[in-house]
Amino acid sequence: MRALYRGWNLLRWAASGRKRGSRPEFPNTLGQPPKTQDRSLTIKAVNANPPLLLIAEYSSMAPILDACLADCRAALLHDVFSLRAESFRRANLSPDHAPISLATEASWLEAADLCIYASAKEARLLNKKLPEKQHIWLPPAVRRKASSDDGPPRAVFIGVRHAGNRDALNFLLQDIWPRTHAARPGAELLIVGEIGAEVHNAPSGVRVLGRVKDLSTIGGTSSIGLAPTRAGSGASIKIVTYLENGMSVLASSKALEGYDGALDGLVERADTAHAFSDKLINLLANHDYRETTAQHGACMISESIDNIELDRTLRRIARGSIAPIALPLRSHQTPTRS
């Protein structure tokens, strides 16, 4: 019903030639627990055939767990909403979801035996709030790809459409790229993915590709993957995408936050527009440095993040252990380079 309501209002706006006010905005329900009827129907469906492992996606679904029959109950947290809201506020942005407090979010997770996180840092922080639970980091899967190294040096920004990526793209186009392009006028910036629809008048040196079926065609050591994130939560998957496609990577501290030190030494880091553009100019200008950085990142990424802990936990549950064992969080250290 919500989809029909939104679709109807967008259709009316489009039919007016997009002149009847601004594009319709709708309240974001992400981060809100399900309504009473949805909750009841979900519990009834689960309890009709109780599973060995029941996973609630996002903390906002976790309150349902206490009424569900399952040997082990877990929550999968792509984002910790309370920390995401805090991050947006620090960046002077409005949260792109229903904002809640950390105490509320922790209370929603009380019924879970196991909490699985996209962000290692968020796992560590929630472990302090709920030490009796097991907290495991689920990093992005790494799939090394053969990429072409041909062509002149270029920068790449990949993203889907959400508020954090919109802000990062604006920061890149307005504050970072103009200075970079002035120093390296022959360089090109490629905008890849859904986020390309946000670029209406591309600045000089910027090319919008939109969706690209095979990312290896824009990868390799000629490319520099950018992640100038200023607000967000979870893990910045684009960083692993860049590394597995053989690119050197330049990212902000916020973009790297979800890896909690696991990628230290594999990517270049900068936070201000001036520092970011300086490092980008250096990578564009220095072929050997760009190639060495890209090759080191591509070689070491598989050793830096893995899902061994989660694999062992799921196997233990499958063997009949009713609940996972609460263990101290692993420290995430990048292997030293041999």
Side-chain angles (χ1 to χ4, degrees), residues 256-301:
L256 291 166
E257 199 172 70
Y259 296 93
D260 207 21
L263 300 185
D264 287 357
L266 302 190
V267 305
E268 290 287 302
R269 186 193 301 251
D271 291 310
T272 67
H274 196 279
F276 209 99
S277 60
D278 276 351
K279 290 201 172 185
L280 179 53
I281 291 166
N282 185 41
L283 283 164
L284 288 167
N286 193 327
H287 173 273
D288 291 342
Y289 179 62
R290 187 175 65 251
E291 187 173 73
T292 300
T293 302
Q295 290 176 348
H296 176 55
C299 288
M300 299 301 293
I301 180 64

Side-chain angles (χ1 to χ4, degrees), residues 172-173 176-182 184-191 199 201-208:
L172 175 59
L173 295 182
I176 297 170
W177 183 248
R179 186 168 181 270
T180 303
H181 190 249
R184 305 293 300 178
E188 191 172 43
L189 169 61
L190 307 181
I191 309 298
V199 183
N201 295 299
S204 180
V206 175
R207 183 155 56 103
V208 178

Side-chain angles (χ1 to χ4, degrees), residues 196-237:
E198 301 288 328
V199 183
H200 304 295
N201 295 299
S204 180
V206 175
R207 183 155 56 103
V208 178
L209 299 184
R211 294 175 182 268
V212 173
K213 186 175 182 180
D214 182 4
L215 292 175
S216 67
T217 60
I218 59 168
T221 57
S222 295
S223 297
I224 305 157
L226 306 180
T229 307
R230 297 189 293 188
S233 58
S236 180
I237 297 174

Side-chain angles (χ1 to χ4, degrees), residues 67-269:
C68 291
L69 303 176
D71 287 6
C72 179
R73 294 174 289 190
L76 174 60
L77 304 158
H78 305 279
D79 301 280
V80 174
F81 293 125
S82 54
L83 300 178
R84 184 177 181 85
E86 183 181 315
S87 166
F88 272 67
R89 292 189 190 104
R90 283 200 302 266
N92 295 317
L93 299 170
S94 297
D96 59 347
H97 57 86
I100 57 171
S101 69
L102 182 57
T104 296
E105 195 153 19
S107 71
W108 287 349
L109 298 170
E110 284 291 348
D113 305 302
L114 169 66
C115 297
I116 305 166
Y117 300 82
S119 163
K121 182 176 181 180
E122 290 170 5
R124 179 165 53 81
L125 292 173
L126 266 293
N127 184 53
K128 295 177 181 178
K129 282 282 185 183
L130 299 166
E132 71 281 7
K133 314 291 182 187
Q134 184 173 6
H135 304 266
I136 297 179
W137 178 38
L138 173 63
V142 179
R143 300 178 180 87
R144 287 282 304 278
K145 300 175 177 66
S147 301
S148 171
D149 295 331
D150 297 334
R154 59 197 177 186
V156 178
F157 180 85
I158 295 175
V160 296
R161 296 176 79 175
H162 63 64
N165 273 339
R166 289 188 187 98
D167 178 69
L169 180 61
N170 289 336
F171 182 41
L172 175 59
L173 295 182
Q174 295 173 14
D175 301 320
I176 297 170
W177 183 248
R179 186 168 181 270
T180 303
H181 190 249
R184 305 293 300 178
E188 191 172 43
L189 169 61
L190 307 181
I191 309 298
V192 180
E194 294 176 359
I195 198 68
E198 301 288 328
V199 183
H200 304 295
N201 295 299
S204 180
V206 175
R207 183 155 56 103
V208 178
L209 299 184
R211 294 175 182 268
V212 173
K213 186 175 182 180
D214 182 4
L215 292 175
S216 67
T217 60
I218 59 168
T221 57
S222 295
S223 297
I224 305 157
L226 306 180
T229 307
R230 297 189 293 188
S233 58
S236 180
I237 297 174
K238 61 169 63 67
I239 294 178
V240 169
T241 300
Y242 296 145
L243 289 169
E244 68 183 6
N245 280 283
M247 305 183 199
S248 55
V249 180
L250 175 57
S252 66
S253 297
K254 174 51 92 175
L256 291 166
E257 199 172 70
Y259 296 93
D260 207 21
L263 300 185
D264 287 357
L266 302 190
V267 305
E268 290 287 302
R269 186 193 301 251

